[in-house]
Amino acid sequence: MESVFIIATILYLLSCTGYLGYLFFQREPLQRMAMGLMLTGFVLHSIYLVVCGLRAGNFPVNNLHETLSVTAWAIAAVFLAFSWGYKLKILGIYAAPLISMTMVAAHHMPDTVAQDPRLFKSWWLAAHIITAFLGNAAFALGGGLGLLYLLQENAIKKKIRGFFFSRLPSLELLDTTGYACIVAGFSMITIGLITGVIYAKAVWGRFWSWDPKEVWAAITWLFYAALLHERLTVGWRGRRAAIMAMVGFGVLLFTFFGVNFLLKGHHGTFTAM
């Protein structure tokens, strides 16, 4: 199945090239080709993960190679959903490179199975991983939309029809889609936390153990909860919301990678190299 993974990676990379071409030349056939390549890569990637899961008898997050692979798959899934729902074609210039880089990184990681496979044989773990990864993917896209918002806002303020002005959609669409990503991500990550503590109780005998990953996951949840609260009560929109979405993505990256590599805890098993 390694060949399927490689083909999916190549398709993602070709999609990335197509989206970059669409950014520069603004030709609809390039965007349609890039989307088709992305969708095909996603289907093959899904087949790869299903086969890996069936072979291992558990959800395929046994090491850093598989964890990064599932991360890329989740970003692709959320990207395809939001691209279809919001008709935001330009989002691919951010999502496709992110997916491609994650797949390339996964390819260079060893795929040795973790020491204790019993940790992975739980439906609660599968539910926790799927919802948490999809939630993280939505937050990642929200951060990217925040960046695109700032680029477009800067172009408008300069009153110069520069490179990004004619290529990026309206500020309203970017803000609305970014908010939808945060809402979807927060909903999924909430379910992910609930299923995670149930899984922890089943495996380690307690719901909460102050594991560094648990603590930072809670910090991430509180950050996005505060962001949504301020939007609903104070009316945080536009530039402030875009900046906070990017900051949140930074917190998420540290929670996902930094904690596992810099701090010790239960979750190091899932990103073992």
Side-chain angles (χ1 to χ4, degrees):
M1 289 301 294
E2 181 66 21
S3 59
V4 176
F5 179 88
I6 293 175
I7 293 172
T9 302
I10 293 173
L11 289 170
Y12 286 142
L13 287 167
L14 291 174
S15 175
C16 179
T17 303
Y19 275 112
L20 290 176
Y22 174 67
L23 173 65
F24 281 93
F25 302 110
Q26 294 291 283
R27 297 290 186 268
E28 286 299 318
L30 286 173
Q31 188 274 331
R32 289 194 293 269
M33 178 193 71
M35 176 60 78
L37 290 167
M38 176 66 71
L39 181 58
T40 306
F42 175 75
V43 171
L44 288 178
H45 195 179
S46 300
I47 294 172
Y48 169 78
L49 291 176
V50 169
V51 173
C52 286
L54 291 175
R55 285 180 176 177
N58 55 63
F59 203 83
V61 288
N62 299 281
N63 47 54
L64 187 55
H65 165 78
E66 293 183 350
T67 299
L68 288 174
S69 176
V70 173
T71 300
W73 176 86
I75 297 172
V78 176
F79 163 69
L80 289 169
F82 273 89
S83 293
W84 178 79
Y86 286 85
K87 312 301 180 185
L88 194 60
K89 300 175 182 178
I90 204 66
L91 183 57
I93 68 171
Y94 168 79
L98 182 60
I99 295 166
S100 300
M101 288 188 296
T102 306
M103 289 291 283
V104 170
H107 177 68
H108 286 86
M109 296 296 165
D111 57 358
T112 305
V113 177
Q115 294 299 316
D116 189 0
R118 292 175 300 173
L119 292 174
F120 304 96
K121 295 185 181 299
S122 169
W123 288 107
W124 286 113
L125 176 63
H128 168 64
I129 291 171
I130 292 172
T131 53
F133 275 61
L134 289 175
N136 290 339
F139 287 151
L141 292 185
L145 286 163
L147 175 61
L148 295 179
Y149 183 96
L150 294 178
L151 290 173
Q152 181 67 310
E153 183 191 52
N154 183 64
I156 292 173
K157 284 183 176 180
K158 287 184 176 180
K159 298 180 180 180
I160 300 175
R161 299 182 68 86
F163 182 81
F164 288 107
F165 182 83
S166 59
R167 288 169 169 80
L168 296 179
S170 67
L171 293 178
E172 181 180 359
L173 179 58
L174 290 170
D175 181 69
T176 301
T177 310
Y179 174 61
C181 284
I182 301 301
V183 171
F186 185 76
S187 301
M188 297 302 291
I189 207 73
T190 300
I191 299 173
L193 287 174
I194 294 171
T195 52
V197 296
I198 295 175
Y199 168 74
K201 175 64 175 178
V203 174
W204 293 298
R206 52 190 180 276
F207 291 109
W208 187 268
S209 59
W210 294 101
D211 178 79
K213 190 75 165 207
E214 295 172 354
V215 173
W216 275 93
I219 291 172
T220 302
W221 185 89
L222 288 171
F223 179 91
Y224 282 104
L227 176 57
L228 289 174
H229 177 269
E230 292 302 302
R231 179 163 185 131
L232 293 173
T233 59
V234 182
W236 274 13
R237 300 178 64 88
R239 181 180 181 83
R240 180 175 293 180
I243 292 174
M244 294 305 291
M246 293 173 64
V247 172
F249 183 42
V251 174
L252 177 66
L253 286 176
F254 181 78
T255 301
F256 193 81
F257 292 110
V259 172
N260 284 11
F261 295 133
L262 300 177
L263 304 174
K264 300 296 183 180
H266 297 313
H267 290 74
T269 303
F270 302 98
T271 52
M273 297 181 63

